[in-house]
Amino acid sequence: MLSRLARLATVHETYPVDAFLLTHPPTIRHLSGYFFNFETGPSPFHLLPAALIALPGSDACLIAADTETGQIATLPPPLEIKLYESYVYERPLDFARQFQIRLHEMITQFGLSKACLGVELKALPVLVQQELSNAFPDIRLVDVSKEVEQLRLSKDPDELEMIQKAVHLCDVGQETLLKEARPGISELELFSCVRTAMEAEAGRRFPLMADFVSGPRTGEAGGGPTNRIIETGELILSDLTPCLDGYWGDTCQTMVVGKPSSIQQTMFQRVKEALHLGIQAIRPGVKASAIDQLMRDHLAGLGTYSHHSGHGVGVVYHEEPRIVPYNDLELSPYMVVALEPGIYRDNQGVRLEHVAVVTENGCELLSRFQHRLTAD
Amino acid sequence: MLSRLARLATVHETYPVDAFLLTHPPTIRHLSGYFFNFETGPSPFHLLPAALIALPGSDACLIAADTETGQIATLPPPLEIKLYESYVYERPLDFARQFQIRLHEMITQFGLSKACLGVELKALPVLVQQELSNAFPDIRLVDVSKEVEQLRLSKDPDELEMIQKAVHLCDVGQETLLKEARPGISELELFSCVRTAMEAEAGRRFPLMADFVSGPRTGEAGGGPTNRIIETGELILSDLTPCLDGYWGDTCQTMVVGKPSSIQQTMFQRVKEALHLGIQAIRPGVKASAIDQLMRDHLAGLGTYSHHSGHGVGVVYHEEPRIVPYNDLELSPYMVVALEPGIYRDNQGVRLEHVAVVTENGCELLSRFQHRLTAD
């Protein structure tokens, strides 16, 4: 974690700011380890989930709500934590003011009252900026959003471990899908089996984005589970994207309940080949666009997909490297890439997805699940 | 919906702004009907979930991502919808710019290039404000957050219907809890039964905040379900807070698996009495603080609770009227109030919660579930 904070020095080379005031939640997770669970929406008792103040190469401080002590207890000790009063019932709520007071205290403590601050303008509320300007009229702000995002491209060992854990939950979910799928079960019931197995593995709830559709709905590529009853011979498409402590996993499986038709077998086989080709091609120096083209070309004639061929995975579920036609970004070691080619035609869809980490001379799969068209 | 937009006129009386530019998601749900599902976090393809531009007493326009057409199709027709390009894979992502272009187009179309705009500074990114100022240097901004929030206090018939639907999901969940609770089941398994029944009733997934704890964990008042196995004679505390299309429901039930002890019976009975006293006291003109005191006083001696006695429910799960000691706000018709007294002592906790709407001369319960200490 500390090593990542230190890496802000590279942003400092481009923008010689005096300090960073970072407020974009994925940035905060990435640099400080703090994750605010967004699953039930923004808290009505927070102005922001948190704020991170970091001096290039030295001190850093996280400002967070005093209701978040459970999460904060797990953060590495060198990071200074400043809590502000958030939820109270004995007197009127004053969390916005309390947050600003802490922020201004830290600006003073770090000697930043006339500083140039690197910020993320997209994630900084005008309210915070105005009160900062009122208190410290000489402070200037520089947008460093893009440069800070760049720091996330290659993953550290602890990040790979986090992503591996999230991807493992996908593996558990997809195995459960194969085991529990049967004619007569509803999409929601089947999804519930899958999610329950994943939660039991994690020992708790976590945010879970999912495409979970059956029959003709697979032809639309995605959507949430409904009360639709799954019939013999129908496809089930299960794209599971869990977020464990702020890091995402992501795999997709497609299967048939009962005996697959000839076209289902062909679609599955070709998509599996495309995915395999893509994985084989992953290595340092290869362009994202080349992997995209390889997989699209392999499916040409049989069908197509009007979405990306893949994407990076980390503290955001879709991030660089985007595996898309225009992207000439070259892969490099410790990037994490999800590949997900698909075919959608005649009210049927097949998509298969694996997650891999780029290594020195190829890649290593983080997802262990083996795609199978049927449970047998 | 239109009637609520028209109600911005009352804010206009205090702040004679030329128009409103509103970006706080609960405000947008309340005034326009548009709800961005936050369950998997902010979209990596949005600068903001949406923006609402409204002229006092006349036109209004919602700016939203072109990926959100499903939700937008259900909005009432008088609202103008402007979509911007959000997710693309054929060329680089440009959603932030596309959003700003739409926003600036609407500012021009509505003749607001030198306007005074009522905004929510806490929910307006500096990036949006800066580009607005660059394009229209004569625009001025006035913070109307508090006044816009005030508009949400009393609910319209369509809002009561939405809350009723969300509360109905709570009823389904609590009945399922009573039916499925048994010794040897884990908190997560039991929670999964409860959630699956709620989702089947809704026909889809929805955000669900929940305290779901058993045994000694009930003494801590809350927390998420874990792999903890529930044993005979233990309490289960189930606080279910679902969000259906942007409106929240909220009820809490506490029960025992097996035969309840004498202290469990006493705690349950007293909390039930406190809740009943609170509900009986709800009527127009009564102060929120009076209801708080009534319930706390009834439990004095046996135990206490270090949280609010209740809260408003709507597009935010905890809102005014807060039922807390300091709040002398008087209840008035069509406010929606959740009451949730509790006792936590000696590693055991009981909390019971109902939701009621204030009527002309009392209140009407929106939650139909009958609290029972055991399934028999």
Side-chain angles (χ1 to χ4, degrees):
Chain A
M1 215 73 73
L2 264 194
S3 70
R4 281 200 286 289
L5 269 173
R7 222 173 292 156
L8 279 171
T10 68
V11 180
H12 189 252
E13 283 166 22
T14 317
Y15 295 101
V17 296
D18 299 304
F20 298 91
L21 167 60
L22 303 169
T23 49
H24 188 46
T27 304
I28 289 174
R29 175 62 185 93
H30 180 243
L31 294 178
S32 81
Y34 174 72
F35 171 59
F36 176 75
N37 190 331
F38 45 71
E39 203 174 356
T40 53
S43 166
F45 311 117
H46 293 173
L47 175 53
L48 280 170
L52 178 67
I53 305 174
L55 275 64
S58 60
D59 294 329
C61 165
L62 181 79
I63 302 173
D66 59 2
T67 45
E68 301 298 308
T69 48
Q71 230 283 297
I72 281 164
T74 67
L75 299 183
L79 184 73
E80 187 174 2
I81 310 285
K82 288 284 175 186
L83 299 178
Y84 67 91
E85 188 180 73
S86 164
Y87 170 89
V88 282
Y89 69 95
E90 304 93 337
R91 50 192 179 280
L93 290 170
D94 187 32
F95 57 88
R97 186 84 210 103
Q98 294 303 318
F99 169 84
Q100 309 253 28
I101 287 171
R102 279 287 171 280
L103 177 60
H104 296 186
E105 279 171 4
M106 292 316 298
I107 293 288
T108 304
Q109 184 177 318
F110 282 150
L112 298 171
S113 60
K114 295 178 178 188
C116 177
L117 297 180
V119 297
E120 296 162 299
L121 291 182
K122 65 183 177 187
L124 185 67
V126 176
L127 184 63
V128 176
Q129 176 260 317
Q130 277 195 357
E131 300 227 358
L132 203 59
S133 293
N134 289 343
F136 308 101
D138 295 329
I139 275 186
R140 282 162 305 128
L141 306 181
V142 174
D143 196 358
V144 295
S145 299
K146 278 184 193 145
E147 290 68 25
V148 167
E149 197 176 314
Q150 288 286 322
L151 298 179
R152 302 207 314 253
L153 259 173
S154 287
K155 271 61 181 174
D156 290 330
D158 66 309
E159 295 189 276
L160 290 175
E161 198 179 312
M162 289 300 308
I163 297 168
Q164 174 77 74
K165 278 184 189 169
V167 171
H168 173 66
L169 296 181
C170 301
D171 288 342
V172 168
Q174 305 295 14
E175 287 294 349
T176 306
L177 172 75
L178 272 163
K179 205 173 77 181
E180 300 288 346
R182 55 176 169 77
I185 197 170
S186 76
E187 290 169 355
L188 273 167
E189 284 164 342
L190 182 55
F191 175 71
S192 180
C193 295
V194 168
R195 180 177 47 188
T196 303
M198 294 169 78
E199 289 178 344
E201 183 70 16
R204 58 194 156 103
R205 297 178 71 191
F206 48 80
L208 175 57
M209 181 161 71
D211 288 321
F212 202 91
V213 291
S214 64
R217 297 187 71 211
T218 59
E220 294 158 27
T226 67
N227 281 323
R228 183 181 189 282
I229 302 296
I230 301 169
E231 316 253 6
T232 307
E234 287 187 339
L235 289 166
I236 305 171
L237 187 157
S238 158
D239 196 331
L240 304 175
T241 312
C243 181
L244 194 65
D245 297 327
Y247 279 84
W248 295 84
D250 192 359
T251 73
C252 188
Q253 147 79 348
T254 308
M255 67 171 294
V256 171
V257 276
K259 195 176 146 50
S261 69
S262 161
I263 182 67
Q264 287 168 343
Q265 284 176 320
T266 305
M267 287 166 74
F268 182 86
Q269 191 52 37
R270 287 285 282 279
V271 173
K272 198 169 173 179
E273 288 164 8
L275 177 58
H276 191 67
L277 280 171
I279 292 166
Q280 292 287 319
I282 293 177
R283 72 176 64 87
V286 72
K287 288 178 179 170
S289 53
I291 296 174
D292 178 87
Q293 194 176 348
L294 204 60
M295 295 197 291
R296 282 189 207 276
D297 285 354
H298 186 73
L299 299 178
L302 185 61
T304 184
Y305 50 102
S306 53
H307 54 69
H308 53 220
S309 289
H311 53 86
V313 177
V315 291
V316 170
Y317 53 82
H318 286 181
E319 60 176 27
E320 287 290 356
R322 299 188 78 203
I323 312 298
V324 285
Y326 71 80
N327 196 2
D328 287 342
L329 181 74
E330 292 183 6
L331 300 190
S332 59
Y334 309 115
M335 288 182 175
V336 172
V337 183
L339 296 185
E340 48 178 333
I343 295 176
Y344 313 97
R345 48 173 280 172
D346 304 332
N347 291 320
Q348 295 200 102
V350 170
R351 182 166 73 246
L352 302 176
E353 180 178 29
H354 265 312
V355 180
V357 54
V358 183
T359 58
E360 292 299 336
N361 42 28
C363 77
E364 186 189 319
L365 284 183
L366 296 180
S367 37
R368 310 263 189 257
F369 172 77
Q370 308 272 326
H371 296 107
R372 281 107 79 198
L373 184 55
T374 61
D376 328 317
Chain B
M1 216 73 72
L2 265 194
S3 71
R4 281 200 287 286
L5 268 174
R7 222 174 292 155
L8 279 171
T10 67
V11 180
H12 188 252
E13 283 167 22
T14 316
Y15 296 100
V17 296
D18 299 303
F20 298 91
L21 167 60
L22 303 170
T23 48
H24 188 46
T27 304
I28 289 175
R29 175 63 185 94
H30 180 244
L31 294 178
S32 81
Y34 175 71
F35 170 59
F36 176 75
N37 190 331
F38 44 72
E39 204 175 355
T40 53
S43 167
F45 311 117
H46 293 173
L47 176 52
L48 281 170
L52 178 68
I53 306 175
L55 275 65
S58 61
D59 294 329
C61 166
L62 181 80
I63 301 174
D66 60 1
T67 45
E68 299 299 306
T69 49
Q71 230 282 299
I72 280 164
T74 67
L75 299 183
L79 185 73
E80 187 174 2
I81 310 284
K82 289 283 176 187
L83 298 178
Y84 67 91
E85 189 180 74
S86 163
Y87 170 89
V88 282
Y89 69 95
E90 303 92 336
R91 49 192 179 280
L93 290 170
D94 187 32
F95 58 88
R97 186 85 209 103
Q98 294 303 317
F99 170 84
Q100 308 254 27
I101 288 171
R102 280 285 171 282
L103 176 60
H104 296 184
E105 279 171 4
M106 292 315 300
I107 293 288
T108 304
Q109 185 178 318
F110 282 150
L112 299 171
S113 61
K114 296 179 177 189
C116 177
L117 297 180
V119 297
E120 295 161 299
L121 291 182
K122 66 183 175 187
L124 185 68
V126 176
L127 185 61
V128 176
Q129 176 260 318
Q130 277 194 357
E131 300 226 356
L132 203 60
S133 293
N134 289 342
F136 308 102
D138 295 329
I139 276 187
R140 281 162 305 128
L141 306 181
V142 174
D143 196 358
V144 295
S145 300
K146 277 185 193 143
E147 290 69 25
V148 167
E149 195 175 316
Q150 288 287 319
L151 299 179
R152 302 206 315 253
L153 258 174
S154 287
K155 271 60 181 176
D156 290 330
D158 66 309
E159 296 188 276
L160 291 175
E161 199 179 310
M162 289 300 307
I163 298 168
Q164 174 77 74
K165 278 184 189 169
V167 171
H168 172 67
L169 296 181
C170 301
D171 288 344
V172 168
Q174 305 295 13
E175 287 294 350
T176 306
L177 171 75
L178 272 162
K179 205 172 77 182
E180 301 288 345
R182 55 179 169 75
I185 197 171
S186 77
E187 290 170 355
L188 272 168
E189 285 164 343
L190 182 56
F191 175 72
S192 181
C193 296
V194 167
R195 181 177 47 187
T196 303
M198 295 169 79
E199 289 179 343
E201 182 71 14
R204 57 195 157 103
R205 297 178 71 191
F206 48 81
L208 175 57
M209 182 161 71
D211 287 321
F212 201 91
V213 290
S214 65
R217 297 187 71 211
T218 59
E220 294 158 27
T226 67
N227 281 323
R228 183 180 189 283
I229 302 295
I230 301 168
E231 315 254 5
T232 308
E234 287 187 339
L235 289 167
I236 305 171
L237 187 156
S238 159
D239 196 332
L240 304 174
T241 312
C243 180
L244 194 66
D245 298 326
Y247 279 86
W248 295 84
D250 192 359
T251 73
C252 188
Q253 147 78 350
T254 307
M255 67 172 293
V256 172
V257 276
K259 195 175 147 50
S261 69
S262 160
I263 182 67
Q264 287 168 343
Q265 285 177 319
T266 304
M267 286 166 74
F268 182 87
Q269 190 53 38
R270 286 286 282 278
V271 173
K272 198 169 174 179
E273 288 165 7
L275 176 58
H276 190 68
L277 280 172
I279 291 166
Q280 292 286 318
I282 294 177
R283 70 176 66 87
V286 72
K287 288 179 179 169
S289 54
I291 296 174
D292 178 86
Q293 193 175 349
L294 205 59
M295 296 197 291
R296 282 189 206 275
D297 285 355
H298 186 73
L299 299 177
L302 186 59
T304 184
Y305 50 103
S306 54
H307 55 67
H308 54 221
S309 289
H311 53 86
V313 176
V315 290
V316 169
Y317 53 81
H318 287 180
E319 60 177 27
E320 288 290 355
R322 301 188 77 204
I323 311 297
V324 285
Y326 70 82
N327 195 2
D328 287 341
L329 180 74
E330 292 183 5
L331 300 190
S332 59
Y334 309 115
M335 286 181 177
V336 172
V337 183
L339 297 185
E340 49 179 330
I343 295 176
Y344 312 97
R345 47 173 280 171
D346 303 331
N347 292 320
Q348 295 201 99
V350 170
R351 181 165 76 246
L352 302 175
E353 180 178 30
H354 264 312
V355 180
V357 53
V358 183
T359 58
E360 292 298 337
N361 43 29
C363 77
E364 187 189 319
L365 283 184
L366 296 180
S367 37
R368 311 265 190 255
F369 171 78
Q370 308 272 326
H371 295 106
R372 283 105 79 197
L373 184 55
T374 62
D376 327 317

